[in-house]
Amino acid sequence: MAQLEKNKEIVKRFNLEVIQNCNEDTFQELMHVDFINRTAPAQSNDAKGMWNTFQTLLMELKSV
């Protein structure tokens, strides 16, 4: 499988398992420990901060 196709599969998996199903195990598997989100506030721009953001936002959306 070409690298582009592998990347697409990773994004699809992330969207389904992490964003749709709020699966922290998949998030931890796919997210590099040194990940930095340059668009997030400095205090929450690492992988842990990103998971907290996902969890908070996704749980709020599911309750609506």
Side-chain angles (χ1 to χ4, degrees), residues 30-48:
L30 297 177
M31 189 61 59
H32 192 278
V33 295
D34 294 328
F35 172 83
I36 297 175
N37 181 349
R38 303 268 184 222
T39 62
Q43 67 275 14
S44 62
N45 67 356
D46 59 0
K48 182 179 178 182

Side-chain angles (χ1 to χ4, degrees):
M1 181 183 300
Q3 189 61 48
L4 179 60
E5 293 304 314
K6 288 179 184 178
N7 292 345
K8 287 179 182 180
E9 289 303 314
I10 291 169
V11 171
K12 287 178 186 176
R13 182 175 175 212
F14 187 92
N15 288 342
L16 175 66
E17 294 183 30
V18 177
I19 295 176
Q20 185 174 331
N21 297 329
C22 206
N23 185 320
E24 185 176 5
D25 291 334
T26 301
F27 178 87
Q28 297 299 334
E29 179 185 338
L30 297 177
M31 189 61 59
H32 192 278
V33 295
D34 294 328
F35 172 83
I36 297 175
N37 181 349
R38 303 268 184 222
T39 62
Q43 67 275 14
S44 62
N45 67 356
D46 59 0
K48 182 179 178 182
M50 188 164 179
W51 172 251
N52 290 337
T53 299
F54 269 122
Q55 187 178 28
T56 301
L57 292 174
L58 295 174
M59 291 301 179
E60 286 178 11
L61 287 174
K62 287 183 179 194
S63 67
V64 173

